[in-house]
Amino acid sequence: MRTSRRVFLSSAAAAGATGVAGCLGGSGGGPSEYDCDTAEPEPVSELPQPVAGDPEADVVVAAFEDFGCPHCATWVLEEYPTVESEYVEPGEIRFEHWDFPIPVTDWSVPVANAGRGVQERAGDEAFFAFAKRAYELQDDHSLDAVGTAAEAADADPCAAIADAEHEPYEAVVSGNRSEGEQRGVGGTPTVFVNGESVQPTADAVSEAIENAL
């Protein structure tokens, strides 16, 4: 069934957090709007992790993130770029994104779904471009921001908005969270280098990578 309506996503400024990992939870409200003529997407039960770098690399860095978490925004926008330039782009590591919606805000799960939709339709590189822009717009907390992040990744903004609204990747995102829980993730961001948890900083991750190479 097709719908034509003004859709809304309510969310809030991210809550404060304690502990090394960063974000631990919170919620709130404040509407933002975006116009689209969208169909409800079909549910998707399986999707591989978004991967950057060399998929066959011996060193695997896995980051568990929540799109509503300000500490995750700090990791992605301020710390990860060093790891990306020194190890991902040269192909020395395999970098994996894992969704771990706590959720910190109502933004967490919808944006995770939108990101995985971008990944499925446009590929891993587009996913990471979407994720970066979504974190840059994290304080916006609106469907407008979801559409803008999709456009930054050269992806369909209305499809991303439909994914945010209807959450067709719920099983994929929940499966990521379950994997994180099995690995002992209790907050975000949590970063593993070859299965060992390290501080989510460029220095700590780089040191762990060097020790593993």
Side-chain angles (χ1 to χ4, degrees):
M1 177 182 67
R2 292 186 65 80
T3 60
S4 181
R5 63 181 181 272
R6 189 175 298 271
V7 292
F8 298 92
L9 175 65
S10 295
S11 191
T18 59
V20 170
C23 295
L24 302 174
S27 63
S32 184
E33 57 185 272
Y34 198 103
D35 287 323
C36 272
D37 181 13
T38 62
E40 182 171 350
E42 292 294 326
V44 177
S45 60
E46 294 184 357
L47 199 64
Q49 300 312 124
V51 170
D54 180 2
E56 305 301 324
D58 291 333
V59 178
V60 179
V61 178
F64 287 79
E65 303 170 17
D66 181 319
F67 279 102
C69 172
H71 297 281
C72 292
T74 298
W75 153 250
V76 169
L77 301 178
E78 299 180 17
E79 303 294 340
Y80 173 70
T82 298
V83 177
E84 181 180 33
S85 63
E86 294 183 1
Y87 301 103
V88 176
E89 291 175 352
E92 294 197 37
I93 67 170
R94 171 189 172 101
F95 181 83
E96 301 174 345
H97 167 92
W98 290 76
D99 287 302
F100 195 87
I102 293 172
V104 174
T105 69
D106 293 340
W107 171 260
S108 302
V109 174
V111 179
N113 274 264
R116 299 314 284 270
V118 167
Q119 176 201 359
E120 184 174 40
R121 288 185 295 273
D124 289 2
E125 184 175 350
F127 169 85
F128 286 107
F130 170 90
K132 179 182 178 182
R133 190 67 178 128
Y135 279 120
E136 289 172 344
L137 298 172
Q138 189 180 66
D139 290 340
D140 189 323
H141 292 186
S142 71
L143 289 175
D144 187 22
V146 171
T148 299
E151 289 182 313
D154 292 327
D156 183 347
C158 285
I161 287 166
D163 291 336
E165 184 184 18
H166 298 289
E167 300 177 10
Y169 296 89
E170 178 183 1
V172 175
V173 173
S174 296
N176 275 208
R177 181 183 166 89
S178 295
E179 174 66 21
E181 290 171 344
Q182 291 176 16
R183 296 196 195 186
V185 176
T188 55
T190 295
V191 179
F192 294 94
V193 176
N194 279 2
E196 296 295 326
S197 179
V198 301
Q199 293 278 351
T201 66
D203 287 346
V205 174
S206 295
E207 181 179 358
I209 291 171
E210 288 293 337
N211 290 337
L213 287 174

